[in-house]
Amino acid sequence: MSRSVRGIAAATALVALLAGCGVTHNTNVALPPASSPTPALGVIPSVTPIPLDTPAVAPDTADLEMVDESFRPSTLYVTPGTVITLTNKMDFICGVTDEASGLRSGDVGPGASVHFTAPDTPGTYKYECIYLDPGQMKGKIIVTQDPEAARTKAAEDEAARSASPTPTSTPTATSDASYNGFNSNPSPSASASHTHDSIVRAQ
């Protein structure tokens, strides 16, 4: 028997054996889907970077002192929200109080300091120490976006007022004719009366 004949016979026997065991070949079985490519290590695809928060800006600061029953400076120019350090250099309790706006530093004992915040709304805030007579110890805080410009403008206005001459009253000239109550030009009625009296006396 030739080799080709033996090969055909062997193939036929194998097919018969598989058929006898109930094994069939199903060509309709779906293949599993191809897996997505794995990203490289350390790389996260399709993610939008999250921006970091902007660092907070530190508020402006200013100093205010209470000395010899007065505020120094008497006028303080600050930006909105400025943190003011109030120092008491007197020997009694005092503080900043503005009843109209509600601005208060609280009581400050001798040698102590406190911090309070200027209003956010620009404007002029007048305050005083409530432990003294009204108006005896007072000051003001001017809240503005440009304290330096406001301070310069106030100084210029004050210099202009100081340079302006003070108006003086001009004294009224006194006529020599009326000096010491003597009138050199008597009224017609007075002259007539004087003449009439002279005539009566002559009779």
Side-chain angles (χ1 to χ4, degrees):
M1 182 180 296
S2 64
R3 291 182 178 179
S4 59
V5 174
R6 287 197 300 269
I8 294 173
T12 302
L14 179 59
V15 171
L17 177 62
L18 293 175
C21 295
V23 177
T24 60
H25 180 66
N26 187 0
T27 58
N28 296 324
V29 176
L31 296 176
S35 60
S36 302
T38 302
L41 294 177
V43 178
I44 303 177
S46 303
V47 175
T48 302
I50 301 175
L52 298 177
D53 293 335
T54 303
V57 179
D60 293 335
T61 59
D63 294 318
L64 181 63
E65 295 181 345
M66 298 181 288
V67 183
D68 297 333
E69 298 185 4
S70 64
F71 290 101
R72 297 183 184 176
S74 58
T75 302
L76 183 64
Y77 297 85
V78 297
T79 55
T82 293
V83 176
I84 301 172
T85 300
L86 177 64
T87 303
N88 186 358
K89 294 187 175 181
M90 302 183 297
D91 57 0
F92 59 91
I93 295 175
C94 200
V96 165
T97 303
D98 180 6
E99 296 292 353
S101 67
L103 177 66
R104 295 182 180 88
S105 66
D107 293 341
V108 186
S113 297
V114 297
H115 304 285
F116 67 99
T117 303
D120 292 328
T121 303
T124 299
Y125 299 84
K126 298 179 180 180
Y127 57 85
E128 62 181 352
C129 174
I130 61 175
Y131 290 100
L132 296 176
D133 294 336
Q136 180 177 349
M137 181 176 173
K138 59 184 179 179
K140 59 183 177 181
I141 296 175
I142 296 180
V143 179
T144 174
Q145 297 295 342
D146 192 344
E148 190 59 34
R151 186 183 298 107
T152 300
K153 179 67 166 53
E156 292 174 349
D157 292 345
E158 180 62 28
R161 284 192 297 268
S162 300
S164 299
T166 303
T168 56
S169 59
T170 302
T172 302
T174 302
S175 173
D176 293 338
S178 60
Y179 182 69
N180 289 334
F182 177 74
N183 190 351
S184 61
N185 296 313
S187 63
S189 60
S191 298
S193 176
H194 176 71
T195 302
H196 176 72
D197 292 341
S198 299
I199 294 172
V200 171
R201 286 195 297 270
Q203 291 176 353

